[in-house]
Amino acid sequence: QVQLVESGGGSVEAGGSLRLSCAVSRDTSSSRRYSMAWFRQYPGDEREGVAAIDGFSRSTYRDSVKGRFNISQDTAQTTLYLQMNSLKPEDTAIYYCAADDDRWYVPSRNRADYKYWGQGTQVTVSS
């Protein structure tokens, strides 16, 4: 069983930065690797993939955040990060982390590829 807990959300002005963290609770005695990702959700919309990273630390980003956001993880995959710089009002959303071990070798931003989810953290960017 894998449990994910996000933290680091909050309110900032446009142009500011936030760093989200996702604590991953899992059986660390296992050598199993995971693909992990950050998603966000606007009111009334479906979750969209923001950035993803695989067990080899290869990453992929949504076009709208390229050059501004950076996804990273520690070697043991017990913590996932999302460094968000040059934030814009349109980045305002609830951000979720996700993990899966089936296709751990592919950094996927498709929500259907993930079965473990955190509870979300609110990010608000004011203009």
Side-chain angles (χ1 to χ4, degrees), residues 37-66:
W38 288 97
F39 288 77
R40 64 187 178 190
Q41 188 169 18
Y42 302 111
D45 285 353
E46 296 181 340
R47 292 180 193 181
E48 62 181 31
V50 175
I53 190 167
D54 68 8
F56 293 116
S57 290
R58 297 175 300 196
S59 57
T60 179
Y61 295 89
R62 188 175 195 83
D63 285 348
S64 61
V65 306
K66 285 180 180 177

Side-chain angles (χ1 to χ4, degrees), residues 8-20 68-69 82-88 91 123-125:
S11 298
V12 295
E13 293 185 349
S17 298
L18 281 175
R19 189 192 198 200
L20 304 184
R68 300 190 297 123
F69 290 11
L82 184 68
Q83 178 66 44
M84 304 186 294
N85 300 322
S86 301
L87 282 161
K88 303 176 180 180
D91 295 319
V123 171
T124 302
V125 185

Side-chain angles (χ1 to χ4, degrees), residues 35-37 39 51-53 60 103 106-111 113-114:
S35 59
M36 295 196 284
F39 288 77
I53 190 167
T60 179
R103 299 180 72 222
V106 178
S108 172
R109 289 185 284 110
N110 184 344
R111 67 182 184 275
D113 289 334
Y114 293 90

Side-chain angles (χ1 to χ4, degrees), residues 4-6 21-23 37-39 80 95-99 116-118 120:
L4 308 174
V5 179
E6 302 96 337
S21 298
C22 175
W38 288 97
F39 288 77
L80 178 70
Y95 284 72
Y96 299 87
C97 66
Y116 303 113
W117 292 86

